[in-house]
Amino acid sequence: MKKFLWLIVLGGLLFAKEELLFYCGITMVKPMSEISKIIEKKYNVKIKVIQGGSGDLYDSLSKTKKGDLYLPGSESYIKKHLKDNLFGYRKYIGYNQIAIFTTPNNPKNVKSLSDFTREDLLVSLGNPETCSMGRASIKVLKRYGGEKFVEEVENNIVLYAIDSRDFNQLLKTNQIDTGLNWKATASFPENRGKIAIINIDEKYAPKKKLILTMLNFSKHKDIVKKIIDFTTSKEGKKIMKQYGFLDE
């Protein structure tokens, strides 16, 4: 009987699926979750997607030294932490861009960034301390009008959104009138027809590259490389495009 139970335990260990930890910025969770499901079936693994603000995610993975993949909302997080030597094999998988968000039909007649100082508008930005969207938004405002303009806008902000998803919820429930967010999120199924966007000149809101990187302490480097390569394949790019993330 003991031998039989031992064989059952051994069999379970032999056939247990490998589990990968994927640290993914909130904005990219939808396409990456879809891609993860394809990889799980294809290679018989389990991928746990840990979502959050790009800065918070990096703090977590750098402290625990556990995990396999990291996808922040902007390449700037990769560049900032290169000195820590935690990143391995990586590829460019598309880009996102900051845009002005309003409710459909733009009832408050928001036209440009200069309107963000209007006292009749409820303005919101992402928290620049924790999410890529907030950090990128401050840079856009600074390019547009300098430090003084940033201060004027900040004085007019009614609240800071936790992340891109939180911002969109605030807008759809009429808690805010306008603000800045990642353009791709307006393409998500739950936001179509409920959010309007106003494009910003690229000299103020440049395209932000998305870099999917392997973590050097990963114990599943072979499968991680396959995930990254699949994301940049024709099939992977098609999924990314469906969610508003373009590669050119």
Side-chain angles (χ1 to χ4, degrees):
M1 184 66 178
K2 289 182 178 180
K3 184 176 181 181
F4 177 70
L5 291 174
W6 181 83
L7 288 172
I8 292 176
V9 173
L10 180 60
L13 291 173
L14 289 173
F15 292 102
K17 291 182 179 180
E18 292 183 292
E19 182 172 277
L20 285 72
L21 296 182
F22 184 173
Y23 297 88
C24 184
I26 287 286
T27 309
M28 292 76 62
V29 166
K30 289 183 180 295
M32 295 314 302
S33 292
E34 192 169 323
I35 288 173
S36 293
K37 289 178 182 178
I38 294 173
I39 295 296
E40 286 179 332
K41 291 180 180 179
K42 192 171 184 179
Y43 298 106
N44 193 36
V45 296
K46 176 67 177 175
I47 301 174
K48 182 178 180 181
V49 179
I50 303 172
Q51 55 183 287
S54 300
D56 290 338
L57 291 175
Y58 185 80
D59 288 342
S60 179
L61 69 88
S62 62
K63 289 176 182 177
T64 64
K65 299 294 189 299
K66 293 181 180 179
D68 304 277
L69 286 152
Y70 177 50
L71 177 58
S74 170
E75 183 185 23
S76 61
Y77 286 88
I78 300 294
K79 291 180 176 179
K80 179 181 179 181
H81 298 293
L82 275 176
K83 63 183 184 301
D84 298 336
N85 197 33
L86 298 184
F87 306 139
Y89 182 73
R90 54 190 179 272
K91 281 188 176 182
Y92 163 69
I93 63 169
Y95 73 85
N96 208 347
Q97 194 171 13
I98 291 293
I100 297 172
F101 277 46
T102 70
T103 50
N105 301 318
N106 192 10
K108 292 296 183 72
N109 196 29
V110 178
K111 296 180 179 178
S112 70
L113 292 171
S114 60
D115 288 319
F116 281 20
T117 59
R118 283 169 42 190
E119 293 183 359
D120 64 314
L121 288 180
L122 300 176
V123 181
S124 177
L125 297 179
N127 186 337
E129 298 298 322
T130 58
C131 69
S132 62
M133 177 265 282
R135 184 175 173 179
S137 295
I138 294 296
K139 290 181 178 179
V140 169
L141 295 173
K142 191 175 293 185
R143 292 189 193 98
Y144 181 80
E147 293 283 359
K148 185 177 180 180
F149 179 68
V150 173
E151 291 179 10
E152 290 175 352
V153 173
E154 288 180 330
N155 288 334
N156 204 36
I157 290 174
V158 292
L159 54 82
Y160 284 95
I162 299 171
D163 48 46
S164 60
R165 184 167 55 194
D166 182 43
F167 176 94
N168 287 333
Q169 186 61 24
L170 292 171
L171 188 63
K172 289 188 293 184
T173 54
N174 297 312
Q175 295 182 63
I176 59 173
D177 298 315
T178 190
L180 298 176
N181 199 0
W182 290 123
K183 185 177 178 180
T185 64
S187 300
F188 293 179
E190 67 271 23
N191 297 329
R192 291 172 192 160
K194 299 177 182 178
I195 287 174
I197 62 170
I198 300 169
N199 290 318
I200 303 171
D201 192 308
E202 204 169 317
K203 66 182 178 182
Y204 304 124
K207 296 173 181 176
K208 290 295 184 178
K209 291 183 178 179
L210 298 174
I211 306 296
L212 179 58
T213 182
M214 176 189 296
L215 297 174
N216 279 334
F217 43 76
S218 171
K219 297 179 181 179
H220 311 97
K221 289 185 171 63
D222 289 343
I223 188 67
V224 170
K225 185 177 184 299
K226 290 176 181 177
I227 295 171
I228 295 173
D229 289 342
F230 176 84
T231 305
T232 57
S233 70
K234 185 176 181 179
E235 186 178 356
K237 287 181 179 179
K238 183 179 179 180
I239 293 171
M240 294 295 290
K241 189 174 181 179
Q242 288 174 346
Y243 289 94
F245 298 99
L246 307 177
D247 66 344
E248 57 183 29

